[in-house]
Amino acid sequence: MSLAVAGRRPVLADLIARPTDRARAAALDAALVVAGAAVVAVLAQVEVPLWPVPVTGQTLAVVVVGAALGARRGAAALVTYLVAGLAGLPVFAGFTGTIAAITKPSFGFIIGFVFAAFVAGWFAERAWDRRPVLAFVGFAAASVIPFLFGVPYMAFILNTVLGKGLGIEAILAAGVTPFILGGIVKAALAALLIPAAWAGVRALERRSGR
């Protein structure tokens, strides 16, 4: 199936020469998806322990992977990451991985990562990843997505499952406030990394006379 979509611009992963053979092209996409999941797994171990949700490098990885791979491959990479962790591979923060992760207050954020990667990829496919300012806007928007899933999920686990009885202010203080500054910094870092990669590509093209 072709990755061509109306209005879609190439993302960084599209610079890799794509085989004309369908099976080899699918194998390339699969390899990119697995590589993206691996990047998220590595940065998930960059962790500042907080309760009930730790601060990790996952959001940065999610945005970068989504932008580099594009919407569908980026989302597929995060689905792969999620499934690998639930299957027991130690890819979640703290080198953990178990089906029991679904009972943790932070698991909703991991679900949200799938959609965040898609959104980051969607912006990249419209060339918002070529300039830092536009990239920051798109990546900041993508960084909000995990909270839309994570905060309600966290509230459900803490209040309904664990019986904590926390109010909305306490939920926001635990699941939103500590991550605002870090989210801005990570979106800004991604907005420097991806456009810098494109600048490098353009420089190489000029040198080769393309």
Side-chain angles (χ1 to χ4, degrees), residues 35-61:
V39 169
V40 177
V42 169
L43 286 185
Q45 311 317 319
V46 180
E47 180 182 8
V48 177
L50 289 178
W51 185 91
V53 181
V55 176
T56 72
Q58 283 171 307
T59 307
L60 173 61

Side-chain angles (χ1 to χ4, degrees), residues 50-117:
L50 289 178
W51 185 91
V53 181
V55 176
T56 72
Q58 283 171 307
T59 307
L60 173 61
V62 167
V63 170
V64 168
V65 166
L69 298 187
R72 288 190 288 179
R73 285 180 301 213
L78 269 297
V79 170
T80 301
Y81 170 76
L82 186 155
V83 171
L86 292 180
L89 294 180
V91 296
F92 294 154
F95 293 102
T96 59
T98 169
I99 189 66
I102 62 174
T103 65
K104 293 184 177 181
S106 60
F107 187 71
F109 290 89
I110 298 177
I111 296 173
F113 288 159
V114 176
F115 300 91

Side-chain angles (χ1 to χ4, degrees), residues 42-204:
V42 169
L43 286 185
Q45 311 317 319
V46 180
E47 180 182 8
V48 177
L50 289 178
W51 185 91
V53 181
V55 176
T56 72
Q58 283 171 307
T59 307
L60 173 61
V62 167
V63 170
V64 168
V65 166
L69 298 187
R72 288 190 288 179
R73 285 180 301 213
L78 269 297
V79 170
T80 301
Y81 170 76
L82 186 155
V83 171
L86 292 180
L89 294 180
V91 296
F92 294 154
F95 293 102
T96 59
T98 169
I99 189 66
I102 62 174
T103 65
K104 293 184 177 181
S106 60
F107 187 71
F109 290 89
I110 298 177
I111 296 173
F113 288 159
V114 176
F115 300 91
F118 184 92
V119 170
W122 187 90
F123 280 112
E125 288 172 359
R126 280 141 190 87
W128 283 47
D129 63 335
R130 312 294 176 92
R131 297 182 179 182
V133 173
L134 282 178
F136 175 75
V137 172
F139 296 163
S143 298
V144 171
I145 303 298
F147 292 94
L148 302 181
F149 291 83
V151 173
Y153 194 98
M154 182 185 71
F156 173 77
I157 295 296
L158 291 177
N159 289 339
T160 304
V161 177
L162 300 179
K164 296 291 185 180
L166 300 178
I168 184 64
E169 290 186 4
I171 291 294
L172 294 177
V176 177
T177 306
F179 307 101
I180 293 175
L181 179 59
I184 293 171
V185 170
K186 285 182 275 190
L189 183 56
L192 292 175
L193 290 174
I194 298 295
W198 277 113
V201 169
R202 289 191 292 269
L204 289 174

